[in-house]
Amino acid sequence: MKKRITTMENINKNKAIAWVVIVIFLVGIIGYIGWHTWEKYKDSIIEKQKEQMMIISQSLADNLEDTISNYASDLDYLSELITLEKDPEMITAIADGYMDKNYTFIEDLMIYDPASKRMWNKNDHEWIKTFDYYSFDNDITMRAVLGSDKNIYFVYEKNMDNGMLMQLIVNAHGYYEKIISNIQIGTNGYVVLKDADGVLFMHPKDEQLGKTVIEGRKELYGELDMDSLEELVSFQKDVKAGIKEYYSYWWTNKDLSMVKKISAHSHVDCGDGFLIVSAVMDYDDIHKPLAAGFNAISLTFGMILLVLLFFATTVVVQIMQGRKSEQEIQYLKDLNQVLEETRRSEEAIAHQQRLQIMGTMTGGIAHEFNNLLTPIMGYSEMLLDMLPNGSEEADYAKEIFDASDKAKDIIKQIAGLSRKNMETVFTFVPIKKALRRSLKMVRSVCPANISLSEDLHFEKEGFLGNETQFNQVLLNVCVNAFHAIGKDKDGIVKVTGEIVGIDEIENRHECDVSDIWSQFLCIKISDNGCGMEPEMLEHIFNPFFTTKIGGKGTGLGLSVVEQIIHSHNGYIFAESKVDAGSTFYIYFPMAAESDISSAVSSHEEDVNMRILAVDDNGKVLKLLERDFKKLNISITAVSNTEEAKVFLEKEKFDVMLVDQELSRTSQTDNGLIFAIAAGSLYPDLIKIIMTGQIKKELIEAKQHGLIESYIEKPVSDTRILEEIHKIIG
């Protein structure tokens, strides 16, 4: 019996030992799994944080690289402009304009004449020390300097061909304060900028600016252990972008105790050298929160995990599978969203490419048609002068001239599709005649179920504008009215015209109107169509907004109408109610025909004028030669800039006409560039550009006095003389 009890005790003891071993084994497995999970999780979080730091350093490096390159480009562009200028006042105007638009980080722009005399600057500067020189294209250099205010500046410098010197001074410290200093990386982290030798150009602590990372800090803080920091400096100099853990100090804190840090750096290409952007973070900012959280979880749930180990295993597996499924679902959603965005982007890019192709084609077509219309209009006008009034041949010539004049307006509208910022030459448009002609065109597209009526209270009044664009406005609004009425009911569209004052417009539409004009021509277009909701009415002038379904509308009609009316200094308003119809109010400033001034000249003065014409179209040159020789005006016609240079060197000319779109055999065959270059050599020469489409560069060249004027093709002797007299007068 005693033996049996002893045997049972031994069995129970062995079972207990076995359970203890099992529990210890399970605890060991759990502990190992827990520790292994903690290590993987910690490493994963740290790696993600490193990736974020790398993104920060790379983004800042890209931004700084673009900024440095842009300022070099700015200096190159300014030097080209100022090289062309002889007038000190124009140089001052260019410098003032640039500084007014670029005051954020640019400290100063300094211009010296060939005698090293300062021509323009805003502030005085004193440099204590120069650190590095970097060379860019076009003979531009940049040096980093320490100013008397202990701030770092980047000084761009270019020696120009005419002996002048230009310096652009950028406040690097201001850039750091504005762009970088607010970036918080952990509790103590920050971003610094240094050169390849470790000289600090940007740092949160001003006293370290201009100091080297190793030697400069030893001067400030004594003999600290900087072996790990030296390895980092060498690594950052040799590797273009990377991440490294090292041991150093927080130089922004008073307590200089060694800590473990993480640094992510990227090189900033700077001419023939580079700078280094470094984002620094305390390793404990990542490690300590993770460790504290993990320990708290371990202490809280350790006993529960031991008791429910077997049950928890199943639950954990299910949770992991559920999370994996959720991640897969989310991944598929994200992937679908990315694919959809990619598809929309591709469609948008394709649409933009089609618009660019259309613009290029229409610009080229307009240029060629203008060259064809020039001799047609010129010779038909010549025939009108030669043939007796009232004869059948004169009527034929008149029909040719009128048709080509209308074609010129159409070409001008086509050219409008391929350009921005164009100027429109307005003429006096008699409102009553223009309305009658437009309504005749509208009636041709008016459906049979709609009655179109007019009630015009105009006589000889008019406005300054473009009649073709006016027709486009009236046709667009009326066609919209036809669509609003539809084909299922009898409709009425009424066009009313009257003269109104400013007060009436302001009271009717509750708006402010410019008091430059005292009276306006009001055109009211009303219909009894379906009308619109107030929410819809607010967006009708927005581009691509349409109320039509099934892809029947582009949403551009009323947007173009509003742009045309605004370009005529007019106003457009709309009123509408559902099932009651809509009314559009269009206002143009009233003008008298005398508001269009014409150039009056003395024929005796014209006879003494010498003209040089440069155009690669032989028919245009032949017409101009005939027209001006008929007026006894001396004209020399050449087909390229090389011939023009020869004649300019041998003879004296009063006026030079240059085609903007010459067939290029060299860079100087661009009409505008050639005219500007000739102007610098022959300052008394009047330079007029002939162009098929007025571009922004022509407008700016005229505004800056680089050319005297420009005229749109097709050209004639009358139009050219009017422009010359306008310039001289």
Side-chain angles (χ1 to χ4, degrees), residues 640-652:
N640 57 64
T641 57
E642 295 300 326
E643 295 181 35
K645 291 177 184 177
V646 174
F647 277 102
L648 285 171
E649 291 172 357
K650 294 192 302 183
E651 303 178 27
K652 178 177 175 59

Side-chain angles (χ1 to χ4, degrees), residues 676-705:
I676 294 173
S680 63
L681 298 175
Y682 310 99
D684 296 331
L685 184 66
I686 296 176
K687 303 168 290 297
I688 301 176
I689 303 296
M690 301 181 294
T691 180
Q693 47 183 325
I694 300 174
K695 298 181 180 179
K696 182 180 179 182
E697 59 185 22
L698 288 178
I699 300 171
E700 291 181 345
K702 181 180 177 182
Q703 290 173 346
H704 289 89

Side-chain angles (χ1 to χ4, degrees), residues 377-431:
M377 295 184 69
Y379 288 121
S380 60
E381 191 174 13
M382 190 181 299
L383 288 173
L384 283 173
D385 294 336
M386 296 169 57
L387 295 171
N389 292 333
S391 65
E392 187 174 2
E393 290 82 0
D395 291 340
Y396 294 158
K398 182 69 166 57
E399 288 296 327
I400 294 173
F401 182 82
D402 290 344
S404 58
D405 189 48
K406 291 178 181 177
K408 179 182 73 173
D409 285 340
I410 294 173
I411 293 302
K412 190 180 295 184
Q413 298 302 312
I414 294 175
L417 294 172
S418 66
R419 65 183 187 250
K420 297 179 181 178
N421 301 321
M422 69 174 185
E423 286 186 349
T424 303
V425 180
F426 290 154
T427 59
F428 179 80
V429 180
I431 186 66

